[in-house]
Amino acid sequence: MRWYWVDKFIEFNSGVSARAVKNVSLSEEHMHDHFPGFPVMPASLMIEGMAQTGGILLGEKNDFVYNVILAKVPKVEFHSLACPGDQLIYSATLENASEEGGSVKVTATVEDRLVAEAEIVFVHLSSDDPQLSRIDQKNFVFRMNLLDILNVGKIDGDAESSATA
Amino acid sequence: MASSEEIFEKVQETLVDALGVDDDEVTSEATLIDDLGAESIDFLDIVFRLEKNFDIKIPRGELFPENLANADSGFVADGKVTEDGIAQLREKMPHADVDKFAEDPQVSKMSDMFTVDMICKFTASRLG
Protein backbone atom coordinates (compact mmCIF):
# COMPACT_ATOMS: atom_id res chain seq x y z
CA MET A 1 0.00 0.00 0.00
CA ARG A 2 1.24 3.46 -0.87
CA TRP A 3 1.51 5.68 2.13
CA TYR A 4 0.52 9.01 0.61
CA TRP A 5 -2.20 10.70 2.60
CA VAL A 6 -2.20 14.00 0.75
CA ASP A 7 -2.69 14.32 -2.98
CA LYS A 8 -0.89 17.57 -3.71
CA PHE A 9 0.28 20.84 -2.29
CA ILE A 10 -1.58 23.97 -3.31
CA GLU A 11 0.46 26.48 -1.34
CA PHE A 12 3.96 26.38 0.10
CA ASN A 13 5.58 29.23 2.00
CA SER A 14 8.98 27.85 2.92
CA GLY A 15 9.51 27.69 6.67
CA VAL A 16 6.14 29.31 7.38
CA SER A 17 3.06 27.47 6.15
CA ALA A 18 1.72 24.97 3.63
CA ARG A 19 -1.65 23.87 2.32
CA ALA A 20 -2.32 20.45 0.86
CA VAL A 21 -5.32 18.70 -0.63
CA LYS A 22 -6.70 15.25 0.14
CA ASN A 23 -9.55 14.14 -2.09
CA VAL A 24 -11.67 11.60 -0.29
CA SER A 25 -12.85 8.87 -2.66
CA LEU A 26 -15.12 5.86 -2.47
CA SER A 27 -12.57 3.98 -4.56
CA GLU A 28 -10.27 3.85 -1.54
CA GLU A 29 -10.40 0.32 -0.19
CA HIS A 30 -10.48 1.21 3.47
CA MET A 31 -13.62 3.32 3.11
CA HIS A 32 -15.65 0.13 2.66
CA ASP A 33 -14.59 -1.17 6.05
CA HIS A 34 -14.77 2.21 7.75
CA PHE A 35 -17.67 1.78 7.96
CA PRO A 36 -19.75 -0.73 6.00
CA GLY A 37 -22.63 1.27 4.54
CA PHE A 38 -21.32 4.49 6.10
CA PRO A 39 -18.01 5.46 4.51
CA VAL A 40 -16.08 8.18 6.35
CA MET A 41 -12.43 9.16 6.18
CA PRO A 42 -10.71 7.53 9.21
CA ALA A 43 -9.56 10.08 11.76
CA SER A 44 -6.21 8.34 12.13
CA LEU A 45 -5.50 8.81 8.42
CA MET A 46 -6.43 12.46 8.65
CA ILE A 47 -3.79 12.78 11.38
CA GLU A 48 -1.33 11.09 9.03
CA GLY A 49 -2.24 13.52 6.23
CA MET A 50 -1.88 16.49 8.57
CA ALA A 51 1.49 15.09 9.71
CA GLN A 52 2.67 14.63 6.13
CA THR A 53 1.70 18.21 5.31
CA GLY A 54 3.46 19.59 8.39
CA GLY A 55 6.39 17.17 8.19
CA ILE A 56 7.24 18.15 4.63
CA LEU A 57 6.93 21.82 5.64
CA LEU A 58 9.47 21.23 8.43
CA GLY A 59 11.72 19.01 6.31
CA GLU A 60 11.86 21.54 3.48
CA LYS A 61 12.98 24.28 5.86
CA ASN A 62 16.18 22.26 6.42
CA ASP A 63 16.54 21.17 2.79
CA PHE A 64 15.52 17.64 3.80
CA VAL A 65 18.81 16.91 5.52
CA TYR A 66 17.00 15.34 8.49
CA ASN A 67 14.65 12.40 8.72
CA VAL A 68 11.54 14.02 10.12
CA ILE A 69 9.67 11.67 12.40
CA LEU A 70 6.19 12.06 13.82
CA ALA A 71 6.86 11.97 17.55
CA LYS A 72 3.82 13.27 19.38
CA VAL A 73 0.34 14.59 18.83
CA PRO A 74 -0.22 16.72 21.95
CA LYS A 75 -3.66 17.80 20.78
CA VAL A 76 -6.16 16.72 18.17
CA GLU A 77 -9.86 17.51 17.93
CA PHE A 78 -12.36 16.30 15.38
CA HIS A 79 -15.37 18.49 14.73
CA SER A 80 -17.09 16.85 11.78
CA LEU A 81 -16.79 14.04 9.23
CA ALA A 82 -15.17 13.85 5.80
CA CYS A 83 -17.04 11.66 3.35
CA PRO A 84 -16.41 10.45 -0.24
CA GLY A 85 -16.47 13.41 -2.61
CA ASP A 86 -15.20 15.81 0.01
CA GLN A 87 -12.00 17.69 -0.58
CA LEU A 88 -10.00 18.04 2.61
CA ILE A 89 -7.60 20.96 2.83
CA TYR A 90 -4.83 20.55 5.38
CA SER A 91 -3.40 23.94 6.40
CA ALA A 92 -0.20 23.72 8.41
CA THR A 93 1.78 26.47 10.10
CA LEU A 94 5.25 25.92 11.47
CA GLU A 95 5.24 26.84 15.17
CA ASN A 96 8.77 25.80 16.15
CA ALA A 97 11.82 24.54 14.36
CA SER A 98 15.16 23.66 15.86
CA GLU A 99 18.06 21.32 15.28
CA GLU A 100 16.25 18.67 17.33
CA GLY A 101 12.86 18.84 15.62
CA GLY A 102 9.84 21.05 15.24
CA SER A 103 6.13 21.47 15.78
CA VAL A 104 3.18 22.49 13.65
CA LYS A 105 -0.45 23.45 14.01
CA VAL A 106 -2.71 22.02 11.34
CA THR A 107 -6.37 22.36 10.49
CA ALA A 108 -8.42 20.16 8.19
CA THR A 109 -11.34 21.80 6.43
CA VAL A 110 -13.88 20.91 3.76
CA GLU A 111 -14.87 24.20 2.12
CA ASP A 112 -15.73 26.43 5.12
CA ARG A 113 -16.36 23.55 7.48
CA LEU A 114 -13.74 22.73 10.14
CA VAL A 115 -13.21 18.97 10.26
CA ALA A 116 -10.19 18.66 12.54
CA GLU A 117 -7.40 20.58 14.19
CA ALA A 118 -4.15 19.27 15.61
CA GLU A 119 -0.80 20.11 17.08
CA ILE A 120 1.99 17.78 15.98
CA VAL A 121 5.57 17.48 17.22
CA PHE A 122 8.35 15.99 15.09
CA VAL A 123 11.91 14.98 15.92
CA HIS A 124 14.90 14.86 13.63
CA LEU A 125 17.01 11.75 13.36
CA SER A 126 20.09 11.61 11.19
CA SER A 127 20.31 8.66 8.82
CA ASP A 128 23.05 7.00 10.87
CA ASP A 129 21.18 7.26 14.18
CA PRO A 130 20.86 3.76 15.67
CA GLN A 131 17.31 4.60 16.75
CA LEU A 132 16.29 4.90 13.13
CA SER A 133 16.64 1.17 12.48
CA ARG A 134 14.08 0.47 15.18
CA ILE A 135 11.41 2.49 13.41
CA ASP A 136 9.09 1.19 10.77
CA GLN A 137 10.25 3.56 8.08
CA LYS A 138 7.30 3.07 5.80
CA ASN A 139 4.92 4.53 8.28
CA PHE A 140 6.86 6.98 10.33
CA VAL A 141 9.68 8.53 8.39
CA PHE A 142 9.25 11.15 5.75
CA ARG A 143 11.47 9.53 3.20
CA MET A 144 12.40 11.10 -0.05
CA ASN A 145 9.78 9.20 -2.07
CA LEU A 146 7.07 10.96 -0.07
CA LEU A 147 8.38 14.17 -1.56
CA ASP A 148 6.89 13.06 -4.87
CA ILE A 149 3.80 14.81 -3.55
CA LEU A 150 5.55 18.13 -4.07
CA ASN A 151 5.70 17.40 -7.79
CA VAL A 152 2.06 16.41 -8.25
CA GLY A 153 0.41 18.64 -10.85
CA LYS A 154 3.73 19.96 -12.07
CA ILE A 155 4.53 18.99 -15.64
CA ASP A 156 7.47 21.00 -16.78
CA GLY A 157 6.96 22.98 -13.65
CA ASP A 158 3.39 24.08 -14.21
CA ALA A 159 0.46 21.84 -15.06
CA GLU A 160 -1.99 24.60 -15.89
CA SER A 161 0.16 26.35 -18.46
CA SER A 162 0.99 22.98 -20.05
CA ALA A 163 -2.70 22.10 -20.25
CA THR A 164 -3.65 25.35 -21.90
CA ALA A 165 -0.67 25.46 -24.23
CA MET B 1 10.13 41.42 35.02
CA ALA B 2 7.54 38.74 35.71
CA SER B 3 6.95 37.76 39.34
CA SER B 4 7.63 34.19 40.42
CA GLU B 5 3.87 33.60 40.72
CA GLU B 6 3.36 34.73 37.15
CA ILE B 7 6.17 32.49 35.95
CA PHE B 8 4.76 29.52 37.89
CA GLU B 9 1.30 30.04 36.43
CA LYS B 10 2.65 30.16 32.90
CA VAL B 11 4.87 27.12 33.47
CA GLN B 12 1.85 25.32 34.91
CA GLU B 13 -0.21 26.15 31.83
CA THR B 14 2.67 25.01 29.60
CA LEU B 15 2.86 21.62 31.35
CA VAL B 16 -0.92 21.16 31.34
CA ASP B 17 -0.86 21.62 27.55
CA ALA B 18 2.26 19.52 26.91
CA LEU B 19 1.51 16.61 29.23
CA GLY B 20 -2.28 16.56 29.36
CA VAL B 21 -2.30 16.74 33.16
CA ASP B 22 -4.65 18.71 35.43
CA ASP B 23 -3.40 22.02 36.74
CA ASP B 24 -3.66 20.90 40.36
CA GLU B 25 -1.17 18.10 39.61
CA VAL B 26 1.41 20.66 38.54
CA THR B 27 2.74 21.66 41.95
CA SER B 28 6.10 23.28 42.45
CA GLU B 29 7.65 20.07 43.81
CA ALA B 30 6.15 17.70 41.22
CA THR B 31 8.71 15.72 39.23
CA LEU B 32 8.19 15.71 35.49
CA ILE B 33 8.74 12.00 34.92
CA ASP B 34 7.44 10.25 38.04
CA ASP B 35 4.64 12.61 39.04
CA LEU B 36 3.55 14.06 35.71
CA GLY B 37 4.32 11.09 33.45
CA ALA B 38 6.60 12.92 31.02
CA GLU B 39 8.45 10.84 28.45
CA SER B 40 11.59 11.75 26.54
CA ILE B 41 9.74 13.27 23.59
CA ASP B 42 7.75 15.49 25.95
CA PHE B 43 10.93 17.36 26.88
CA LEU B 44 11.26 18.73 23.36
CA ASP B 45 7.58 19.70 23.37
CA ILE B 46 8.03 21.45 26.74
CA VAL B 47 11.06 23.38 25.44
CA PHE B 48 9.12 24.49 22.34
CA ARG B 49 6.17 25.67 24.43
CA LEU B 50 8.35 27.52 26.96
CA GLU B 51 10.13 29.31 24.11
CA LYS B 52 6.81 30.39 22.69
CA ASN B 53 5.01 31.25 25.93
CA PHE B 54 7.90 33.24 27.41
CA ASP B 55 9.43 34.47 24.15
CA ILE B 56 12.85 33.11 25.09
CA LYS B 57 15.43 30.92 23.32
CA ILE B 58 16.49 27.71 25.00
CA PRO B 59 19.61 26.24 23.37
CA ARG B 60 19.77 22.47 23.10
CA GLY B 61 20.72 20.74 26.35
CA GLU B 62 20.50 23.81 28.60
CA LEU B 63 17.24 23.07 30.37
CA PHE B 64 17.49 19.29 30.16
CA PRO B 65 21.18 18.37 29.79
CA GLU B 66 21.86 15.26 27.75
CA ASN B 67 24.31 12.41 28.23
CA LEU B 68 25.38 13.43 31.74
CA ALA B 69 24.86 9.97 33.15
CA ASN B 70 25.96 7.83 30.24
CA ALA B 71 28.16 4.90 31.18
CA ASP B 72 31.05 6.41 29.22
CA SER B 73 30.64 9.90 30.67
CA GLY B 74 33.19 9.13 33.39
CA PHE B 75 30.81 10.54 35.98
CA VAL B 76 29.21 7.29 37.05
CA ALA B 77 30.55 4.51 39.29
CA ASP B 78 28.58 1.67 40.86
CA GLY B 79 25.30 3.16 39.77
CA LYS B 80 26.08 6.44 41.49
CA VAL B 81 27.13 9.82 40.18
CA THR B 82 30.71 10.57 41.24
CA GLU B 83 31.87 13.76 42.93
CA ASP B 84 33.19 15.01 39.63
CA GLY B 85 29.79 14.26 38.17
CA ILE B 86 28.05 16.22 40.92
CA ALA B 87 30.36 19.15 40.24
CA GLN B 88 29.46 18.88 36.58
CA LEU B 89 25.75 18.86 37.45
CA ARG B 90 26.13 22.00 39.55
CA GLU B 91 27.76 23.71 36.61
CA LYS B 92 25.34 22.53 33.94
CA MET B 93 22.16 22.64 36.01
CA PRO B 94 22.38 25.64 38.32
CA HIS B 95 18.58 25.78 38.20
CA ALA B 96 18.21 22.27 39.72
CA ASP B 97 18.33 21.19 43.35
CA VAL B 98 21.66 19.37 43.04
CA ASP B 99 22.23 19.52 46.83
CA LYS B 100 19.25 17.31 47.46
CA PHE B 101 20.32 14.85 44.77
CA ALA B 102 23.90 14.78 46.13
CA GLU B 103 22.62 13.30 49.41
CA ASP B 104 21.94 10.01 47.60
CA PRO B 105 23.35 10.41 44.08
CA GLN B 106 21.98 7.26 42.47
CA VAL B 107 21.78 7.52 38.70
CA SER B 108 18.25 6.11 38.80
CA LYS B 109 17.17 9.12 40.87
CA MET B 110 18.62 11.75 38.57
CA SER B 111 15.26 12.36 36.95
CA ASP B 112 13.94 13.53 40.35
CA MET B 113 15.89 16.74 39.75
CA PHE B 114 13.59 17.55 36.85
CA THR B 115 10.86 19.31 38.78
CA VAL B 116 8.36 22.05 38.03
CA ASP B 117 10.36 24.31 40.31
CA MET B 118 13.49 23.62 38.24
CA ILE B 119 11.70 24.83 35.11
CA CYS B 120 10.46 27.94 36.93
CA LYS B 121 13.97 28.81 38.15
CA PHE B 122 15.46 28.22 34.71
CA THR B 123 12.81 30.38 33.08
CA ALA B 124 13.26 33.15 35.66
CA SER B 125 17.01 33.18 34.96
CA ARG B 126 16.31 33.54 31.23
CA LEU B 127 13.89 36.39 31.79
CA GLY B 128 16.59 38.13 33.82
Side-chain angles (χ1 to χ4, degrees):
Chain A
M1 187 178 187
R2 306 286 179 189
W3 203 249
Y4 299 99
W5 290 106
V6 301
D7 294 324
K8 73 169 181 178
F9 278 84
I10 50 174
E11 209 177 286
F12 208 100
N13 300 317
S14 180
V16 180
S17 65
R19 277 156 47 90
V21 168
K22 162 66 188 162
N23 287 310
V24 182
S25 169
L26 200 54
S27 64
E28 291 174 76
E29 199 66 35
H30 58 89
M31 298 295 272
H32 298 271
D33 300 315
H34 189 284
F35 299 96
F38 183 58
V40 293
M41 175 76 181
S44 53
L45 295 177
M46 271 192 258
I47 295 177
E48 179 67 29
M50 291 192 275
Q52 291 187 353
T53 307
I56 289 175
L57 174 64
L58 174 63
E60 193 271 347
K61 182 183 163 67
N62 299 302
D63 294 324
F64 301 108
V65 294
Y66 298 111
N67 289 297
V68 176
I69 298 177
L70 169 56
K72 180 180 173 186
V73 182
K75 181 188 157 191
V76 61
E77 278 182 64
F78 292 92
H79 301 280
S80 60
L81 299 174
C83 302
D86 282 347
Q87 184 173 65
L88 279 162
I89 305 285
Y90 299 134
S91 304
T93 52
L94 195 60
E95 294 288 308
N96 295 90
S98 74
E99 192 191 329
E100 299 156 278
S103 67
V104 294
K105 281 188 178 170
V106 196
T107 60
T109 52
V110 172
E111 293 173 345
D112 294 334
R113 176 164 56 88
L114 183 63
V115 177
E117 51 191 329
E119 293 173 17
I120 302 175
V121 178
F122 303 96
V123 290
H124 291 149
L125 286 186
S126 64
S127 297
D128 56 3
D129 193 303
Q131 290 193 63
L132 198 60
S133 60
R134 297 211 302 264
I135 291 167
D136 178 350
Q137 297 208 12
K138 178 172 71 77
N139 292 0
F140 292 103
V141 179
F142 296 106
R143 302 178 78 190
M144 294 312 282
N145 60 3
L146 185 64
L147 302 180
D148 292 349
I149 299 166
L150 287 173
N151 295 321
V152 171
K154 288 183 186 168
I155 303 164
D156 294 326
D158 188 339
E160 282 181 22
S161 62
S162 304
T164 52
Chain B
M1 187 187 154
S3 72
S4 52
E5 288 82 29
E6 282 166 348
I7 291 173
F8 175 76
E9 276 173 25
K10 241 171 164 179
V11 166
Q12 189 180 43
E13 186 191 318
T14 302
L15 294 173
V16 165
D17 289 343
L19 303 175
V21 290
D22 291 333
D23 51 7
D24 60 0
E25 293 178 78
V26 187
T27 59
S28 183
E29 312 78 45
T31 60
L32 299 181
I33 295 174
D34 281 350
D35 294 337
L36 302 180
E39 295 178 23
S40 60
I41 187 59
D42 294 317
F43 289 92
L44 183 61
D45 189 19
I46 291 168
V47 166
F48 282 157
R49 287 173 193 274
L50 289 172
E51 287 187 330
K52 208 150 207 114
N53 293 348
F54 287 97
D55 195 20
I56 52 175
K57 271 277 149 217
I58 304 177
R60 182 174 187 166
E62 287 204 4
L63 175 55
F64 303 116
E66 300 162 7
N67 307 327
L68 280 179
N70 282 6
D72 59 359
S73 65
F75 296 132
V76 177
D78 298 329
K80 290 191 173 190
V81 177
T82 62
E83 281 190 20
D84 284 352
I86 298 283
Q88 183 80 2
L89 285 173
R90 286 187 207 281
E91 189 191 320
K92 298 246 174 170
M93 300 179 67
H95 43 284
D97 191 350
V98 180
D99 288 341
K100 192 175 164 200
F101 172 70
E103 290 167 13
D104 182 19
Q106 293 187 45
V107 173
S108 58
K109 290 191 175 172
M110 274 187 84
S111 65
D112 291 352
M113 279 189 293
F114 296 147
T115 60
V116 175
D117 185 54
M118 181 197 89
I119 296 180
C120 291
K121 283 186 177 140
F122 176 87
T123 310
S125 73
R126 286 304 139 124
L127 293 170

